[in-house]
Amino acid sequence: MTVSVLVPSSLTREAEDKREATRKLGYVARAATIFRADRLIVYPDRDGETGRFDDGFVSTVLRYAATPPYLRNEAWGMRDELEYVGVLPPLRAVSQTGSESNGSGSTRQGIVTEVGPEGRVRVNCGLQHPISLNTPPSMEVAEGERVTVRISSRRPVRAKLVDGPLPGLSVERTDLSTALGREDAGVCIASSRHGAELTVGRLETLAGRVDRNGMTVAFGAPERGLPEILGIEASEIVAAYDAAAVDDRVDVEPTDLGFDLWLNTVPNQGSKVVRTEEALFATLAPLSLQE
């Protein structure tokens, strides 16, 4: 099961300064980590960007936040976008810290620091010193490349390179239609106050489908929801769900945009605006429940 979270490049459009924008992105990365998202995708919303914090800033800070702490200095160095990364909340992802990262057969990210002869490389993977490992025949690695290391013992160190995806949260940049069209997209959900209200009945129906197929959940930006970003009228969504309410259907496709349903996970909200990072917690929490 794959879980993808989609946020727009205009995510920090209301932030007053770089510190506030960085802190906001930290909560987005933390929400994605808490609810075990596999991918955090930044899709373009050029019309909503303010010019100060474009998609380059948003994706860079999110990628930094998703990088294991022991690799951050080596992987990123000094960059203008990272001026205030000290305010980022720690993710403490189970694949990077705690018993799971040190136990037998666990995997973690590493960076190749040196490529030697006879297929051997030195890798910094957060142990006391870089370790020397054999490169599998199916792999070709270069200095500075991130790799997956499987650790079976820390004392003495026993580890090997794995030809597989990097563990932890992956941060990518791609357009909305491409993200929704992935083979492993699962149930595609648009989070919007104009969607169908999440009820116990709808959640019960969704839980089984998500557990089997995974899900992709898209969010809008502050004061610029998904309907505005996509150029559709909110009334189209409301009318479609009013018609579906007769037989309590879950699936409604008011426009040909690739979504299986539009969902309002904060019905009867008490604030005029639900911030994107708040919407992530409010939406991913119930959708993570199992049957």
Side-chain angles (χ1 to χ4, degrees), residues 183-257:
E183 291 186 0
D184 60 352
V187 183
C188 295
I189 301 169
S191 175
S192 171
R193 67 184 301 174
H194 303 291
E197 293 187 356
L198 182 61
T199 62
V200 173
R202 283 197 174 99
L203 182 58
E204 185 176 4
T205 302
L206 276 172
R209 293 178 57 196
V210 169
D211 192 44
R212 290 190 303 270
N213 305 310
M215 64 179 175
T216 295
V217 190
F219 297 86
E223 300 178 353
R224 186 173 168 82
L226 275 171
E228 184 175 357
I229 291 175
L230 296 172
I232 62 176
E233 294 294 331
S235 58
E236 295 181 47
I237 304 170
V238 174
Y241 276 109
D242 284 345
V246 175
D247 55 4
D248 199 29
R249 285 187 287 121
V250 172
D251 288 350
V252 173
E253 213 168 320
T255 56
D256 186 18
L257 297 168

Side-chain angles (χ1 to χ4, degrees), residues 67-80:
T67 301
Y70 57 83
L71 294 182
R72 286 176 175 174
N73 288 339
E74 189 166 354
W76 291 98
M78 301 292 292
R79 299 184 59 161
D80 182 62

Side-chain angles (χ1 to χ4, degrees), residues 84-234:
Y84 290 106
V85 292
V87 304
L88 290 172
L91 301 188
R92 295 189 60 81
V94 293
S95 61
Q96 300 169 8
T97 62
S99 59
E100 290 194 26
S101 65
N102 301 328
S104 176
S106 64
T107 57
R108 56 166 46 200
Q109 288 189 39
I111 288 184
V112 177
T113 60
E114 182 182 345
V115 177
E118 300 179 355
R120 293 195 68 83
V121 295
R122 292 184 68 81
V123 178
N124 173 11
C125 57
L127 302 181
Q128 188 172 4
H129 303 287
I131 56 178
S132 180
L133 299 172
N134 285 316
T135 305
S138 59
M139 289 182 65
E140 291 185 9
V141 298
E143 186 174 328
E145 184 177 347
R146 293 201 204 183
V147 292
T148 300
V149 179
R150 184 177 299 279
I151 299 175
S152 56
S153 172
R154 289 175 62 93
R155 294 183 181 179
V157 174
R158 294 191 180 93
K160 65 178 182 179
L161 289 182
V162 178
D163 188 5
L166 295 175
L169 179 65
S170 168
V171 178
E172 306 173 15
R173 295 165 66 182
T174 190
D175 60 86
L176 198 59
S177 60
T178 299
L180 296 175
R182 290 179 184 262
E183 291 186 0
D184 60 352
V187 183
C188 295
I189 301 169
S191 175
S192 171
R193 67 184 301 174
H194 303 291
E197 293 187 356
L198 182 61
T199 62
V200 173
R202 283 197 174 99
L203 182 58
E204 185 176 4
T205 302
L206 276 172
R209 293 178 57 196
V210 169
D211 192 44
R212 290 190 303 270
N213 305 310
M215 64 179 175
T216 295
V217 190
F219 297 86
E223 300 178 353
R224 186 173 168 82
L226 275 171
E228 184 175 357
I229 291 175
L230 296 172
I232 62 176
E233 294 294 331

Side-chain angles (χ1 to χ4, degrees), residues 262-285:
W262 290 70
L263 198 60
N264 177 7
T265 56
V266 192
N268 195 30
Q269 63 189 58
S271 174
K272 290 183 178 179
V273 176
V274 176
R275 296 174 179 175
T276 305
E277 63 272 27
E278 296 168 338
L280 259 73
F281 282 101
T283 302
L284 296 178

